[in-house]
């Protein structure tokens, strides 16, 4: 079955450590996205990539970094510069104009 | 900048009721509008997508309408069931450019038996 896989489902880190969240898709989609969701909030766009080896900052990119070396993969690194990293992170993909398809998310807790 | 608002923020109804969830957007230059369902601790599942040239889309007990001129979309749920309990989000994608949608904060729905 085609879909988007995010791993791990839960992630715990100490403050000051960088952490990388994985996102893999087998839908052959060109575009991939990272969103952050906080309780009671809508989704906020962190980064997006519309083709391999290219990505753009979203609304809240500070403290995050991404890479897009392969079409299938779009990992997100939460750096120690991110002031409030504890959140639910969602990865999505699309053909660019088609509906967004989402993974099941990674819940990151930083203490 | 596009702003998307969903009203109400929360809704609790008895089983069997017909429901209307509202989504409004400030910029009518949209490419499409999409409705999603999110269960607790899960990702978003696409329910319906309405292209800007369309007025409505239907899937089973769900019907979504779009009125670009007034900046509104509604999601109609017929004969609600406890299994419909979830958060429903709408997202408006702009025409031209990146097509990256702006999300509302969602309506949290509880359908009790």
């Amino acid at each position: 079955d085609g879909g988007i896989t995010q791993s791990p489902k839960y992630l715990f880190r100490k403050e000051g450590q960088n952490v990388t969240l994985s996102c893999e898709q087998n839908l052959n989609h060109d575009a991939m996205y990272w969103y952050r969701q906080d309780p009671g909030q809508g989704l906020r766009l962190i980064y997006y990539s519309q083709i391999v080896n290219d990505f753009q900052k979203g609304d809240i990119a500070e403290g995050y970094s991404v890479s897009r070396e392969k079409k299938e993969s779009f990992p997100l690194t939460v750096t120690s510069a991110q002031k409030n990293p504890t959140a639910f992170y969602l990865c999505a993909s699309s053909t660019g104009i088609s509906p967004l398809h989402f993974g099941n998310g990674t819940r990151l807790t930083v203490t | 900048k596009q702003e998307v608002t969903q009203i109400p923020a929360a809704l609790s109804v008895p089983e069997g009721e017909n429901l209307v969830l509202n989504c409004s957007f400030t910029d009518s230059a949209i490419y499409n509008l999409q409705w999603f369902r999110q269960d607790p601790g899960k990702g978003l599942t696409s329910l319906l997508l309405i292209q800007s040239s369309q007025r409505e889309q239907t899937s089973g007990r769900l019907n979504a309408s779009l009125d670009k001129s007034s900046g509104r979309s509604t999601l109609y749920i017929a004969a609600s069931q406890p299994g419909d309990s979830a958060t429903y989000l709408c997202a408006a994608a702009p025409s031209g450019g990146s097509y990256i949608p702006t999300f509302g904060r969602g309506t949290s729905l509880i359908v009790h038996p």
Side-chain angles (χ1 to χ4, degrees):
Chain A
D1 286 337
I4 300 178
T5 301
Q6 289 188 243
S7 61
K9 185 173 181 178
Y10 299 98
L11 194 50
F12 299 88
R13 280 295 182 271
K14 296 286 189 185
E15 195 173 317
Q17 293 179 335
N18 293 352
V19 61
T20 298
L21 283 60
S22 171
C23 178
E24 303 277 333
Q25 55 102 357
N26 60 5
L27 298 166
N28 200 33
H29 285 169
D30 289 314
M32 296 187 74
Y33 313 81
W34 274 106
Y35 289 92
R36 170 180 172 141
Q37 187 177 37
D38 295 284
Q41 301 288 318
L43 274 65
R44 293 185 289 169
L45 183 65
I46 304 173
Y47 269 98
Y48 66 98
S49 167
Q50 294 181 310
I51 56 172
V52 175
N53 291 323
D54 187 55
F55 48 83
Q56 306 295 328
K57 292 182 180 180
D59 300 320
I60 57 166
E62 186 175 349
Y64 299 98
S65 65
V66 294
S67 62
R68 186 85 187 276
E69 297 176 1
K70 299 186 300 181
K71 189 175 186 177
E72 303 79 18
S73 178
F74 191 40
L76 173 74
T77 297
V78 184
T79 75
S80 57
Q82 168 50 233
K83 297 280 190 283
N84 186 18
T86 295
F88 189 50
Y89 291 88
L90 287 160
C91 179
S93 72
S94 76
T95 62
I97 59 173
S98 68
L100 289 177
H101 294 260
F102 281 85
N104 274 328
T106 292
R107 186 166 300 281
L108 173 65
T109 302
V110 177
T111 58
Chain B
K1 183 180 176 181
Q2 179 74 276
E3 292 182 8
V4 177
T5 303
Q6 291 189 246
I7 294 173
L11 191 58
S12 180
V13 300
E15 182 176 5
E17 279 205 3
N18 299 324
L19 309 172
V20 175
L21 307 183
N22 296 293
C23 172
S24 62
F25 45 94
T26 55
D27 186 350
S28 62
I30 63 170
Y31 182 75
N32 62 45
L33 189 132
Q34 195 168 357
W35 282 93
F36 295 88
R37 168 184 173 136
Q38 185 177 28
D39 293 293
K42 300 286 189 181
L44 278 66
T45 300
S46 180
L47 296 174
L48 291 164
L49 180 142
I50 312 174
Q51 299 291 355
S52 62
S53 59
Q54 297 175 320
R55 287 289 207 156
E56 65 179 317
Q57 282 286 338
T58 298
S59 176
R61 294 182 294 108
L62 305 179
N63 175 277
S65 66
L66 176 64
D67 183 345
K68 279 180 31 177
S69 61
S70 66
R72 290 181 184 177
S73 177
T74 60
L75 179 67
Y76 177 81
I77 303 176
S80 58
Q81 302 170 359
D84 294 329
S85 298
T87 297
Y88 292 81
L89 296 98
C90 67
S95 56
S98 65
Y99 302 106
I100 295 177
T102 299
F103 283 81
R105 295 188 176 191
T107 293
S108 177
L109 172 65
I110 296 175
V111 181
H112 47 88

